[in-house]
């Protein structure tokens, strides 16, 4: 039964919808856009930054990975801090810190300074992202309003990475790579000022329990070891001693984390948040989908620029169909159908539609037509991912106790960021192995035209990895279809005040009328 039943009038008023919630959504969305696009905006600028700061080929991936390691490793801690400090305060601190780290990156004079700034961006992003999502979770409780709010948020979460590629292209070509960092500063300042003036966090939603320090240490080190293991595998191979050590260490640390969380009185991540069948299905399927998508962003960027000879700006615009598809899928399909059909009937078909789009890209060759293959593939990818992301974002926080909203939101971001880091490393490893094998098997062609062999081998590597991405998206669809069994939201409101033990019950019980 909903915990709102039996509340006195004062408590009911404190739960009334915030009249400024839609203005707040604008600033939350702006901040989320900044965080998500920053994960990819540097991709297009990377060649220029690498040349300017004399970063070796072996170390260039650390510009991306340093951000992902800090972000993915610290998200659970950031979510708990949001529950403890208050989401508004954590949100504003995260924004200002992100702006300062971005200024440091734009002013970088060497490799170490740039990599350090990226790690700082990730750390402050780990404060900012779960605070943003948990604010939405506690501010929007009406089912239809929640669908609209999460439709906007889902479109940004899904399409922000592609927006980053476009913005990165403009800034790199017409200014220089440093502006891919400096551009975050006005974003962050506007969002922080707006949040400070507009956001009113609902009362009684903080978790003031003592911080679970062993949980923080074990989760952070375990996640960092996991992501670094995949990153190391790309450069040193899967049989490398350090690679294997990282995977073993990660398994031990994360197992110890689960053991600790099951026993301590005030856990960093209450196991009730992740053991729920529906939320677990969301976290797992989202993580797998992001593994496929992040690798694709990198492959298509290099394919368009290196193989097809597109300029940075032209490359950015080439991703517009994917963005349009994501926005349409999230706001027009996902948001409109979320209150009418069960989430699995949006998520599973969405992931399958994206898999079909990915399947088209396995046909890439050095002379592939953009309009004939890449354009329809991007539209399908965008529509599918937008449709799937929107209900996933909402479902991951429905029925969670307000005191757990921060860590539940952090788990959404953790699955995305760790998935992104794993996707970049894993699919790059597959692509590199396939490229090497192709060169070895076509040495005769290389003697006559080494440049042609290089391009053909690169594209062969991309398509080999994309086949894996197709399979990963198909598995994500299967998980969404089998694990997620909650029904559609049946009441006019969805409770953010439940026990978190059964989302299906929570979704169907209307909140007491305001």
């Amino acid at each position: 039964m909903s915990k709102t039943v039996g509340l006195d009038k004062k408590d009911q008023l404190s739960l009334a919808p915030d009249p400024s919630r839609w203005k707040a959504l604008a600033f939350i969305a702006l901040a989320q856009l900044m965080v998500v696009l920053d994960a990819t905006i540097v991709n297009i600028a990377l060649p220029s930054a690498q040349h300017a700061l004399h970063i070796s080929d072996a170390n260039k991936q650390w510009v991306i990975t340093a951000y992902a390691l800090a972000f993915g490793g610290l998200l659970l801690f950031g979510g708990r801090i949001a529950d403890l400090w208050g989401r508004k305060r954590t949100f504003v601190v995260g924004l200002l810190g992100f702006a300062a780290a971005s200024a440091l990156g734009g002013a970088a004079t060497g490799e170490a300074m740039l990599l350090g700034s990226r790690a700082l961006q990730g750390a402050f992003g780990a404060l900012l992202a779960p605070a943003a999502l948990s604010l939405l979770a506690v501010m929007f409780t009406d089912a239809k309003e929640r669908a609209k709010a999460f439709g906007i948020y889902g479109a940004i979460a899904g399409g922000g990475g592609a927006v980053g590629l476009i913005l990165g292209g403009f800034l790199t070509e017409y200014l220089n790579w440093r502006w891919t960092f400096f551009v975050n500063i006005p974003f962050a300042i506007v969002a922080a000022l707006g949040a400070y003036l507009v956001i009113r966090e609902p009362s009684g939603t903080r978790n003031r329990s003592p911080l679970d320090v062993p949980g923080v240490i074990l989760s952070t080190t375990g996640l960092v070891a996991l992501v670094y293991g995949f990153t190391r595998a790309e450069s040193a191979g899967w049989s490398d001693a350090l690679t294997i050590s990282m995977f073993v260490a990660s398994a031990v640390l994360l197992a110890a984390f689960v053991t600790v969380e099951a026993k301590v009185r005030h856990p960093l991540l209450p196991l009730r948040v992740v053991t729920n069948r529906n939320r677990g299905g969301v976290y797992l399927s989202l993580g797998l989908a992001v593994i496929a998508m992040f690798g694709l962003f990198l492959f298509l960027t290099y394919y368009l620029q290196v193989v097809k000879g597109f300029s940075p700006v032209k490359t950015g615009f080439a991703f517009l169909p994917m963005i349009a598809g994501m926005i349409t899928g999230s706001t027009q399909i996902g948001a409109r159908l979320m209150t009418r059909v069960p989430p699995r009937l949006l998520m599973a078909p969405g992931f399958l539609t994206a898999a079909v789009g990915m399947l088209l890209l396995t046909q890439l060759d050095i002379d592939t037509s953009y309009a004939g293959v890449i354009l329809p593939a991007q539209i399908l990818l965008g529509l599918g991912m937008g449709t799937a992301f929107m209900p996933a974002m909402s479902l991951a926080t429905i029925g969670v106790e307000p005191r757990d909203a921060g860590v539940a939101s952090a788990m959404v971001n953790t699955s995305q960021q760790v998935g992104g880091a794993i996707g970049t490393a894993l699919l790059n490893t597959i692509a590199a192995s396939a490229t090497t094998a192709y060169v070895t098997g076509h040495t005769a062609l290389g003697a006559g035209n080494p440049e042609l062999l290089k391009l053909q081998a690169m594209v062969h590597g991309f398509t080999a990895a994309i086949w894996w991405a197709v399979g990963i998206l198909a598995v994500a669809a299967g998980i969404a279809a089998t694990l997620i069994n909650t029904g559609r939201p049946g009441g006019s409101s969805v409770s953010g005040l439940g026990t978190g033990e059964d989302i299906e019950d929570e979704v169907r019980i209307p909140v007491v009328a305001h």
Side-chain angles (χ1 to χ4, degrees):
M1 186 173 179
S2 175
K3 287 191 177 182
T4 53
V5 176
L7 292 179
D8 60 29
K9 187 174 181 179
K10 179 180 178 182
D11 288 334
Q12 290 183 26
L13 288 173
S14 72
L15 293 172
D18 181 357
S20 300
R21 61 193 179 282
W22 292 107
K23 293 179 183 178
L25 174 62
F27 297 113
I28 292 170
L30 180 64
Q32 176 66 9
L33 175 62
M34 181 189 71
V35 172
V36 176
L37 68 81
D38 204 76
T40 55
I41 192 171
V42 179
N43 280 350
I44 285 182
L46 186 53
S48 300
Q50 180 185 357
H51 180 265
L53 300 180
H54 309 292
I55 300 173
S56 68
D57 284 336
N59 288 341
K60 70 178 181 181
Q61 186 179 315
W62 278 102
V63 178
I64 307 299
T65 305
Y67 179 88
L69 282 174
F71 201 170
L74 293 171
L75 271 166
L76 284 178
F77 179 53
R80 179 66 181 84
I81 289 296
D83 289 336
L84 180 64
W85 281 2
R87 287 143 202 128
K88 175 177 176 178
R89 182 185 302 174
T90 305
F91 184 69
V92 172
V93 170
L95 281 166
L96 296 178
F98 200 94
S102 298
L104 187 66
T109 56
E111 178 180 328
M113 188 173 174
L114 181 64
L115 296 183
S117 71
R118 288 291 284 167
L120 278 176
Q121 281 184 313
F124 282 107
L127 282 178
L128 170 59
L133 183 55
S134 57
L135 277 169
L136 286 190
V138 298
M139 292 175 72
F140 289 90
T141 55
D142 178 82
K144 290 184 178 180
E145 287 193 352
R146 187 181 179 92
K148 292 178 183 177
F150 277 86
I152 295 169
Y153 189 89
I156 291 171
V163 174
L165 295 172
I166 293 178
L167 191 56
F170 264 104
L171 296 173
T172 301
E173 187 162 334
Y174 294 116
L175 295 171
N176 62 49
W177 65 268
R178 296 182 183 278
W179 282 94
T180 60
F181 288 89
F182 290 145
V183 72
N184 290 326
I185 298 173
F187 273 89
I189 291 175
V190 169
L193 283 174
Y196 181 78
L197 295 173
V198 170
I199 290 178
R200 179 177 67 83
E201 186 177 351
S203 61
T205 60
R206 289 194 192 180
N207 182 348
R208 301 183 186 274
S209 303
L211 188 62
D212 172 21
V213 176
V216 170
I217 295 171
L218 289 170
S219 66
T220 301
T221 53
L223 289 170
V224 167
L226 177 64
V227 176
Y228 182 64
F230 279 100
T231 303
R232 175 79 182 179
E234 182 185 4
S235 58
W238 295 95
S239 59
D240 173 70
L242 184 55
T243 300
I244 295 172
S245 298
M246 286 295 104
F247 285 132
V248 172
S250 174
V252 171
L253 289 165
L254 292 177
F257 171 67
V258 173
T259 301
V260 168
E261 298 308 278
K263 294 181 178 179
V264 297
R265 186 175 180 183
H266 302 293
L268 172 70
L269 176 64
L271 296 184
R272 61 180 175 269
V273 172
V274 292
T275 54
N276 178 278
R277 173 175 177 164
N278 291 281
R279 275 194 291 274
V282 167
Y283 298 147
L284 190 54
S285 60
L286 266 185
L288 287 170
V290 172
I291 287 176
M293 291 300 293
F294 262 65
L296 176 70
F297 282 149
L298 200 57
F299 294 151
L300 266 187
T301 298
Y302 273 87
Y303 175 80
L304 293 172
Q305 288 197 54
V306 177
V307 179
K308 304 296 283 185
F310 283 20
S311 68
V313 168
K314 190 175 181 181
T315 299
F317 273 107
F319 280 94
L320 271 178
M322 188 184 298
I323 298 173
M326 285 182 174
I327 292 172
T328 302
S330 185
T331 62
Q332 301 304 310
I333 301 175
R336 290 177 182 272
L337 294 180
M338 193 182 88
T339 57
R340 301 177 184 179
V341 301
R344 67 179 179 276
L345 296 186
L346 291 173
M347 292 180 63
F351 288 139
L352 285 176
T353 301
V356 172
M358 197 76 79
L359 188 63
L360 286 178
L361 293 176
T362 61
Q363 307 305 307
L364 286 179
D365 203 344
I366 56 174
D367 57 356
T368 294
S369 162
Y370 175 84
V373 176
I374 299 173
L375 175 63
Q378 287 198 57
I379 292 173
L380 287 171
L381 278 162
L383 283 172
M385 295 301 283
T387 300
F389 266 59
M390 189 268 147
M393 291 289 181
S394 178
L395 184 59
T397 53
I398 284 181
V400 179
E401 294 184 37
R403 62 196 177 100
D404 294 335
V407 290
S409 301
M411 276 301 300
V412 178
N413 287 282
T414 298
S415 64
Q416 288 181 280
Q417 292 305 318
V418 174
I422 291 173
T424 302
L426 177 62
L427 296 183
N428 270 349
T429 302
I430 295 169
S433 299
T435 298
T436 301
Y438 187 92
V439 171
T440 303
H442 296 78
T443 51
L445 175 61
N449 192 339
E451 188 60 31
L452 178 62
L453 175 62
K454 178 182 176 182
L455 292 178
Q456 288 181 334
M458 181 186 296
V459 175
H460 175 76
F462 292 165
T463 56
I466 290 171
W467 271 111
W468 279 80
V470 172
I472 291 169
L473 281 172
V475 172
I479 289 171
T482 54
L483 284 186
I484 298 172
N485 64 357
T486 183
R488 67 180 179 85
S492 62
S493 301
V494 289
S495 175
L497 301 171
T499 63
E501 294 175 357
D502 191 337
I503 293 181
E504 186 166 5
D505 291 340
E506 288 297 334
V507 172
R508 291 174 174 168
I509 296 174
V511 176
V512 67
H514 297 302

